[in-house]
């Protein structure tokens, strides 16, 4: 049998795959990155103009070391690529003081000594008059939060990967893979490729590539952009922090400042379950109605004419935590990117972690919480 053509094949070249391809190629490995489309594109999970990056992580304090590394790694990619990828805006987590959002963010901030302020509704209204925080709610203000520019991030990672010698093949979907004693083989409609190692980072296409390994669900999400109805300058990144709003127990709205193209708003989760092949790619008035209602409630000056919409796919695990691990039955294969709708901010660091896993090298941060073995569906190695 022929020896592997590549050191590593990366299937999926969105946020996680592009970062992994870059980090592997930067280490001098022969890398092939495959994608069913031409990244950055709107068919998966790595788009939308802006994505939040925040450090006081309400989901769990275990993410804080990883997001801190991600901040540093994004800065490295900005320096090497010469592109702006991160815009600091500050960030507010708004909701009942004892709710999941504010209390969770505060727990992470306290445990990891993250600079923050806890503001009353009146204090928020004084400092950010366009924010309408209801009585009975509070806000945790985190100063280093901001937005990443996802299309630019993917483009930068891919350009740097190619600059370091990686090969990219787009419009070429992986239709299958297998591991044998000498390496890994990946098939596409165009041919068959061999490598010593394989990284699966295909986002919403992971259920098809993994079979029954993980109990994944793909969720349809929608983004909506609005032209501010009043004081447009008040909604730019200098004056309008990113915000998460807990508008009901465990129910969240995300709002983003206008960095060009309008103020963006989305309901986080609550989307219909779907698949990559069956998803409704066009938004409807029914998608927009609850978003606009919430925007009028919390950020009314932003609720002007609708400018644009987009569909995004979340690939969710049952516990909403990531999977970053070797395949239990195929140790040459690394499984990455089922990130449950909150992974983009980590992509720069996840690329490093995936590269370390693929090359059997140590990674300085603890990834044990992201192991495949926590799911009963995972077979024994």
């Amino acid at each position: 049998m022929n020896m592997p053509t590549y050191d590593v094949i990366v299937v999926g070249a969105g946020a996680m795959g592009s970062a992994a391809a870059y980090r592997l190629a930067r280490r001098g490995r022969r890398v092939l990155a495959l994608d069913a489309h031409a990244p950055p594109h709107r068919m998966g999970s790595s788009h939308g103009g802006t994505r939040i990056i925040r450090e006081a992580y309400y989901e769990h304090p275990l993410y804080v070391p990883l997001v801190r590394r991600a901040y540093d790694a994004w800065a490295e990619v900005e320096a090497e690529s010469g592109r702006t990828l991160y815009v600091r805006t500050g960030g507010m987590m708004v909701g009942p003081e004892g709710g999941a959002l504010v209390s969770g963010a505060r727990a992470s901030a306290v445990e990891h000594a993250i600079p923050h302020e806890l503001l009353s509704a009146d204090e928020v209204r004084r400092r950010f008059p366009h924010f309408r925080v209801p009585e009975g709610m509070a806000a945790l203000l985190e100063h280093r939060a901001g937005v990443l520019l996802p299309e630019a991030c993917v483009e930068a990672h891919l350009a740097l990967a190619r600059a370091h010698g990686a090969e990219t093949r787009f419009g070429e979907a992986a239709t299958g893979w297998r591991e044998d004693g000498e390496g890994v083989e990946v098939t596409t409609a165009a041919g068959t490729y061999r490598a010593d190692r394989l990284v699966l980072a295909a986002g919403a296409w992971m259920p098809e590539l993994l079979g029954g390994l993980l109990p994944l669900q793909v969720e349809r999400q929608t983004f909506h952009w609005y032209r501010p109805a009043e004081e447009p300058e008040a909604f730019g990144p200098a004056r309008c922090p990113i915000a998460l709003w807990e508008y009901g127990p465990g129910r969240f709205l995300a709002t983003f400042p206008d960095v060009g193209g309008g103020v963006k708003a989305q309901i986080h989760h609550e989307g219909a379950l779907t698949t990559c092949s069956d998803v409704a790619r066009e938004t409807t008035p029914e998608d927009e109605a609850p978003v606009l209602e919430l925007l009028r409630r919390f950020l009314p000056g932003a609720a002007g004419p609708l400018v644009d919409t987009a569909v995004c796919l979340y690939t969710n695990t049952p516990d909403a935590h990531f999977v970053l691990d070797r395949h239990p039955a195929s140790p040459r294969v690394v499984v990455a990117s089922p990130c449950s709708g909150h992974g983009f901010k980590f992509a720069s660091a996840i690329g490093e972690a995936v590269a370390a896993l693929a090359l059997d090298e140590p990674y300085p941060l603890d990834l044990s919480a992201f192991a495949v073995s926590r799911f009963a569906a995972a077979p024994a190695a």
Side-chain angles (χ1 to χ4, degrees):
M1 188 175 289
N2 293 332
M3 292 298 291
T5 303
Y6 300 96
D7 294 317
V8 186
I9 295 173
V10 179
V11 173
M16 310 307 163
S18 65
Y22 161 59
R23 292 293 174 176
L24 288 160
R26 189 181 181 189
R27 296 183 186 203
R29 298 319 196 265
R30 296 166 297 163
V31 176
L32 170 64
L34 297 168
D35 199 283
H37 302 282
H41 55 74
R42 284 190 164 198
M43 302 300 287
S45 310
S46 301
H47 60 288
T50 50
R51 290 298 178 94
I52 290 172
I53 184 167
R54 52 191 167 85
E55 195 172 356
Y57 220 66
Y58 83 88
E59 291 88 342
H60 200 288
L62 70 87
Y63 287 94
V64 176
L66 190 63
V67 79
R68 283 179 164 166
R69 175 55 202 150
Y71 270 104
D72 292 341
W74 286 121
E76 292 172 6
V77 177
E78 282 189 315
E80 189 174 351
S81 68
R83 300 188 64 164
T84 297
L85 306 178
Y86 157 68
V87 179
R88 183 170 175 166
T89 66
M92 285 204 296
M93 310 298 111
V94 185
E97 190 167 346
L101 179 59
V102 174
S103 65
R106 191 177 189 186
S108 284
V110 170
E111 180 173 332
H112 292 280
I114 298 166
H116 69 283
E117 300 176 66
L118 190 64
L119 307 178
S120 68
D122 285 341
E123 289 171 322
V124 174
R125 288 192 291 264
R126 281 196 298 270
R127 291 170 63 170
F128 304 96
H130 46 296
F131 277 65
R132 299 289 188 266
V133 178
E135 291 299 329
M137 287 192 176
L140 184 139
L141 177 61
E142 176 189 336
H143 300 288
R144 193 160 69 138
V147 295
L148 294 164
L149 309 179
E151 288 84 357
C153 291
V154 172
E155 287 173 349
H157 272 141
L158 289 174
L160 291 175
R162 286 188 287 263
H164 287 284
E167 181 181 344
T168 57
R169 291 177 178 265
F170 298 151
E172 191 169 339
T175 55
W177 62 271
R178 69 181 187 90
E179 180 183 350
D180 56 40
E182 297 184 33
V184 181
E185 192 172 87
V186 177
T187 57
T188 74
T192 300
Y193 306 98
R194 288 190 57 79
D196 185 57
R197 302 296 170 98
L198 171 63
V199 172
L200 296 176
W205 286 263
M206 293 292 269
E208 289 79 8
L209 289 170
L210 290 175
L213 176 68
L214 297 173
L216 302 177
Q217 292 184 326
V218 177
E219 181 184 0
R220 178 180 179 271
Q221 296 286 298
T222 60
F223 303 142
H224 305 266
W225 287 264
Y226 298 89
R227 184 176 300 113
E230 56 187 50
E231 291 189 84
E233 65 279 2
F235 297 97
R239 294 174 56 187
C240 183
I242 60 96
L244 292 178
W245 307 78
E246 188 173 9
Y247 68 90
R251 305 179 74 185
F252 307 103
L253 173 77
T255 58
F256 302 69
D258 185 355
V259 298
V263 172
K264 178 180 155 187
Q266 69 168 112
I267 292 175
H268 185 51
H269 288 298
E270 303 189 40
L273 298 184
T274 187
T275 67
C276 291
S277 56
D278 295 335
V279 61
R281 295 280 179 187
E282 300 298 322
T283 61
T284 68
E286 290 73 24
D287 292 322
E288 188 210 354
V291 176
L292 182 57
E293 178 186 352
L294 290 168
L295 192 64
R296 286 171 172 163
R297 187 191 309 177
F298 296 125
L299 213 61
L306 182 68
V307 177
D308 195 9
T309 65
V311 171
C312 174
L313 299 176
Y314 286 0
T315 308
N316 300 324
T317 63
D319 60 10
H321 295 307
F322 302 168
V323 175
L324 299 172
D325 198 3
R326 294 181 184 88
H327 193 295
S330 302
R332 292 178 182 268
V333 179
V334 176
V335 179
S337 88
C339 286
S340 302
H342 63 110
F344 193 97
K345 63 185 72 65
F346 299 94
S348 59
I350 287 176
E352 293 180 325
V354 168
L357 285 168
L359 301 177
D360 296 324
E361 296 177 356
Y363 188 65
L365 301 180
D366 182 6
L367 303 177
S368 61
F370 309 131
V372 171
S373 60
R374 71 187 193 272
F375 299 113

